Amino acid sequence: MPAKVVDDVMGGLGGHHGVHAESETTWTARAYVAGDGRVEQLDDRSGADLLLDRPEFLGHAQSLIASGRNILRFCEVEDAQTWLMVRMEVDRQHPSLNRVLVTAARHAPPFGLSPRELDVVSLVSAGLSNGNIAAILEISPRTVTKHVENILRKTGQWTRTGLAALALELGILRPSEGNASGQFRAAMGLLEQLHQPRDGPGSTSRHGTSLRPVIIGTPLPMCELASDDAQEMANGAELAAAEINARGGVLGRELKLVTVPCDVTDPSSVQQVYQQLIDTEVDAIVAGYSVGEAAVHKMVSDYRAPYLHAATMDSVVERVRQDPVRLGNIFQVCASDVHYGPAFGRFVLQLEASGAWKADRRKVVVIQPKWPGMSVGFEGLERILSQRGWEIELIDGLPLRGIDWSSIVSRLHALNPSVVFLAYYFSDESAAFQRAFLRDPFDALVYTLYGASIPSFLDKLGPAAEGILWATLTGVYNDAIGRTFADSYRSRFGTSPGRSHAGIAYDRVRLLADAWSRAGNPRAFDRVADELRRNVYRGVNGSYFLGSPGQAALVFPEATPDPSLGQAHLVFQIQRGDHRILSPAPYTDGRFSLPPWFSKAAARAG
C-alpha cells in the first residue's frame, strides 16, 4: 500500500497513524484492560466507561493478550456519519502488567464508505466470494459487484487482495451487526479465531492465533482415461499437506486442500472447475494436465494466484515465455514434451553402442495420438537418428481412447521397425497396445512414455509388462529422499506410489509451502511468484528451478548439465515386476535386459 494512503488513513488513535484526510476525529477515549478483564482508567473515565458498556470489547482485549499477537484493529458503526475506530495494542514495555491499551476514536467513515460498504469490505477480507457475500447480506450478486467496484474506487485499490490488506491493516472491519454477530465475526477473521480456541494445526494457543487456512485448489482428472493418475496426484498432495500440518502448517496456519474432479479431455469441464476454485479464493492452484490450458492461462493470470501445473507441453511454456509479465504466476513444474524425442534417439544410439542390443533394421516407428499442443520432439528425434542412417516413420492422429491396436500392430509388421516409440501418456491405452503387440510380437523394442509410471499399468499387464522401456521427464528417484517418500506413502495409503506424478504432486505442495514461508504471506501473490522463481527446491523428483524463461523446470541432462538444477530425464525398464532406471547416470540402478518376446536368435545376437 502506498505510504501516502497509509498516512492519510491511519492516525489519531493514541498517537499512531491517522484517519483519511476527509475524516475528523470527534472524540477519543483510552483505557487499559488486564488479562483478567480488569479495566483501568487512563486519561479519564471515558475509556473505562466505553469498555464497561461494551463487554465484547473486553473479550477481544483478553483474547489478544492470550494470542501472543501485538495489535488488533476494528470498527463499529454508531450511525451513518460516525464510526468508532478501535485499536488494541499489548503493552510490551511493561510485560509484567499483562495488559492491553485500548484506544477508541469517533470518526467520519474512512474513505467515505457507507455502513453497507463496510459490511462488504469485511466479508471480502474474510475471503468470501461475491455469491457468498450476497447470500449473507441478502442482496443480489450484481449489487455486491457494484459495491466492490465502488469500494475499490474509493480506497484507491486495484484488487480484492489489496483491499483486504488495506482493511486488515487499518481495521476497516466490522465484528458484528445485530443478531448477525456470528456471520460478521467470521468476516473479521482474527476476532473469530481469538474467541474460538481449537487444538491442532492453526489452532489458537498462548503463542499463536488461528488464521484462515492456507488453501490449495486442485482440479483432479477424474475421467475414464486419467482416474488412476488422479489418485496418485491426490495422495501425493495429501501426504505433503499432512506432513506440513504436523510441523505447524504454513506460517502457523493450517494447510488445506480443496480438490474438485473434472474431465481433462473436456475444455468446458476444465474451465468450470477452475472458475469454481477461483470463486473459492484459493491461495494457489496445482494441477496435472488438460486440453484447456490456453483458457486456463487467461483465467489464472487474471486471478494472479500461483498456478503450478505439469502439462508437460512446450506450447504451454512458450505462452508464458512470450508474455512473462501477464502470465508471471504460471509455472510448469516439469520440463516440456519436446525433450522426449531427442532423448529417445540418444538412448537408442547409446544402447546399441553399449553392445547390449543390436538393431537389425535401422528403423523406428513413432505412434502418436491427437492431443492439443502436444509435441514430443519428432524433429529432434529425426535429426539425431537420421545422421546415423536410421529411418523414422510416424503413425499419428490417433484418438485418445478406443484405438484399434490390432490394426496398428499389423501396420507395424508391414513397416518392420527395430524400435516402436509409443508416444502415448495414458496407461489404459498403453497397456492395450502391449497386449495387442504380444499377441503377434516381433523382434522390436517397445519404448513408451509416462503412463507406465502409474501402478495400475503393472496391475493390468502383470508379466506381460516385462521388458517394456519407458521414460518420464519427472520421476521419483531411487535415492534416500525418494525411498523415504515411498515409505511414508506406503505407511499412509497402504500401497506403493507410482514413479512420477505421486512424487511431483507431493513436491508441488512442499514447493509452495517453502515459497509462502519465504514470502511471509500466501496472499502476497506477486511476492510468492518471485520466491518460486528465485529459489531452487530439491524434491523427491529432483530439483526445481523455475526461474528460466517460460518458468518451466529444467531437465537433466538435455536442458542443464547440472543435476542440482534439474530433474533427470529417467529411462526405465520393467524387470521382474519392478522399474529399473537405465539412464541417466548417476541415477541408474539397473542394466538393460533383452525383452522376453525377442526370438532366441535375437537373444543370441544380443
Side-chain angles (χ1 to χ4, degrees):
M1 185 170 53
K4 183 178 185 304
V5 175
V6 175
D7 290 339
D8 282 350
V9 178
M10 296 290 294
L13 301 183
H16 297 279
H17 293 291
V19 183
H20 192 271
E22 297 174 358
S23 303
E24 292 183 1
T25 303
T26 61
W27 174 86
T28 300
R30 298 193 300 165
Y32 283 114
V33 176
D36 60 4
R38 288 181 295 108
V39 178
E40 298 176 354
Q41 295 183 23
L42 184 56
D43 301 318
D44 52 29
R45 292 186 55 88
S46 59
D49 288 344
L50 173 73
L51 290 168
L52 294 173
D53 287 341
R54 290 173 171 82
E56 67 274 18
F57 285 13
L58 295 177
H60 298 339
Q62 290 176 274
S63 296
L64 178 61
I65 292 172
S67 74
R69 301 176 76 91
N70 290 327
I71 296 174
L72 178 64
R73 299 184 183 94
F74 58 93
C75 60
E76 182 174 271
V77 175
E78 295 194 325
D79 56 54
Q81 302 303 318
T82 307
W83 292 9
L84 192 63
M85 309 297 293
V86 180
R87 174 190 174 96
M88 298 184 175
E89 183 170 5
V90 175
D91 183 2
R92 296 299 183 196
Q93 293 184 337
H94 308 93
S96 62
L97 298 178
N98 195 34
R99 66 184 184 182
V100 168
L101 172 63
V102 179
T103 305
R106 290 193 177 99
H107 292 285
F111 302 106
L113 295 174
S114 69
R116 177 56 83 196
E117 287 171 340
L118 174 61
D119 296 340
V120 173
V121 170
S122 298
L123 294 166
V124 166
S125 300
L128 275 65
S129 67
N130 284 0
N132 288 334
I133 294 172
I136 290 175
L137 299 181
E138 299 182 343
I139 56 179
S140 72
R142 185 172 181 179
T143 300
V144 174
T145 299
K146 187 63 176 175
H147 280 314
V148 172
E149 292 173 354
N150 289 338
I151 293 165
L152 292 174
R153 176 179 52 80
K154 288 181 177 182
T155 59
Q157 297 299 305
W158 290 93
T159 65
R160 296 167 74 95
T161 301
L163 176 62
L166 178 74
L168 289 168
E169 182 174 1
L170 306 186
I172 308 175
L173 298 165
R174 193 177 197 177
S176 64
E177 175 168 302
N179 294 328
S181 59
Q183 293 172 317
F184 279 83
R185 282 204 315 273
M188 279 291 293
L190 179 57
L191 290 184
E192 174 72 354
Q193 291 130 13
L194 287 174
H195 280 300
Q196 294 191 18
R198 295 176 298 173
D199 294 326
S203 66
T204 298
S205 72
R206 186 170 181 80
H207 303 291
T209 301
S210 173
L211 299 169
R212 170 186 179 269
V214 180
I215 302 174
I216 295 177
T218 306
L220 283 183
M222 298 300 293
C223 56
E224 180 182 353
L225 276 174
S227 58
D228 292 342
D229 215 2
Q231 193 60 59
E232 291 280 291
M233 298 180 198
N235 287 353
E238 180 186 325
L239 176 59
E243 290 178 351
I244 290 167
N245 284 331
R247 290 193 294 271
V250 176
L251 298 170
R253 296 161 61 180
E254 179 186 7
L255 178 59
K256 180 179 178 182
L257 302 176
V258 174
T259 57
V260 184
C262 71
D263 183 349
V264 294
T265 66
D266 178 3
S268 63
S269 172
V270 172
Q271 292 179 54
Q272 182 179 359
V273 165
Y274 276 80
Q275 190 59 55
Q276 183 176 342
L277 292 174
I278 289 170
D279 288 343
T280 305
E281 300 203 40
V282 296
D283 300 302
I285 299 175
V286 300
Y289 43 80
S290 78
V291 298
E293 290 302 314
V296 165
H297 275 202
K298 183 178 186 318
M299 297 171 72
V300 298
S301 65
D302 290 342
Y303 182 51
R304 301 307 302 164
Y307 174 46
L308 277 62
H309 67 86
T312 324
M313 293 194 295
D314 198 57
S315 58
V316 171
V317 175
E318 181 62 23
R319 197 175 294 119
V320 177
R321 192 181 292 122
Q322 294 298 324
D323 197 355
V325 175
R326 188 172 68 89
L327 305 180
N329 61 318
I330 299 173
F331 300 87
Q332 182 172 282
V333 290
C334 57
S336 296
D337 49 7
V338 292
H339 295 290
Y340 273 126
F344 162 71
R346 283 188 288 269
F347 175 79
V348 169
L349 296 178
Q350 291 165 4
L351 185 61
E352 191 175 31
S354 72
W357 164 80
K358 180 174 177 57
D360 293 333
R361 306 163 308 279
R362 302 182 78 76
K363 179 186 284 188
V364 169
V365 173
V366 179
I367 303 174
Q368 184 171 315
K370 191 182 221 179
W371 182 268
M374 178 180 175
S375 172
V376 294
F378 182 82
E379 295 81 4
L381 165 63
E382 192 171 35
R383 183 179 64 254
I384 289 170
L385 289 185
S386 62
Q387 292 175 354
R388 301 294 188 91
W390 284 71
E391 180 185 355
I392 297 93
E393 297 275 355
L394 177 62
I395 300 174
D396 63 354
L398 299 178
L400 292 176
R401 61 185 69 157
I403 300 170
D404 182 357
W405 289 115
S406 294
S407 67
I408 298 297
V409 171
S410 296
R411 291 177 64 182
L412 291 175
H413 273 277
L415 293 169
N416 197 27
S418 285
V419 187
V420 177
F421 179 21
L422 181 61
Y424 200 89
Y425 295 132
F426 295 106
S427 64
D428 280 355
E429 291 295 332
S430 297
F433 166 81
Q434 184 68 8
R435 283 191 290 265
F437 177 77
L438 290 182
R439 286 195 292 269
D440 190 12
F442 58 95
D443 293 347
L445 301 178
V446 174
Y447 185 108
T448 187
L449 304 178
Y450 178 72
S453 71
I454 303 169
S456 61
F457 182 80
L458 283 180
D459 294 341
K460 292 180 179 77
L461 283 176
E466 182 73 13
I468 292 175
L469 297 161
W470 68 275
T472 179
L473 294 167
T474 176
V476 179
Y477 292 0
N478 188 26
D479 60 5
I481 298 174
R483 290 192 294 272
T484 298
F485 160 73
D487 289 343
S488 298
Y489 189 102
R490 279 189 290 270
S491 176
R492 186 172 186 87
F493 302 110
T495 185
S496 295
R499 293 304 295 266
S500 184
H501 220 127
I504 205 167
Y506 176 86
D507 284 345
R508 270 192 309 242
V509 173
R510 296 175 68 91
L511 179 63
L512 272 169
D514 180 69
W516 282 330
S517 296
R518 292 175 186 272
N521 179 10
R523 300 299 293 185
F525 293 153
D526 290 345
R527 197 157 71 242
V528 173
D530 285 342
E531 293 297 336
L532 289 169
R533 281 186 286 269
R534 183 177 296 123
N535 295 285
V536 179
Y537 177 79
R538 175 56 156 91
V540 302
N541 281 31
S543 296
Y544 296 77
F545 171 66
L546 305 176
S548 61
Q551 300 187 164
L554 302 177
V555 61
F556 168 79
E558 286 81 21
T560 176
D562 185 349
S564 70
L565 292 179
Q567 299 167 39
H569 187 154
L570 299 176
V571 178
F572 295 83
Q573 187 177 37
I574 298 174
Q575 299 177 0
R576 293 178 289 281
D578 199 3
H579 300 277
R580 294 297 179 188
I581 301 174
L582 306 187
S583 176
Y587 305 104
T588 56
D589 61 11
R591 300 177 64 184
F592 172 79
S593 176
L594 200 68
W597 61 80
F598 271 59
S599 66
K600 292 181 180 178
R604 287 195 298 272

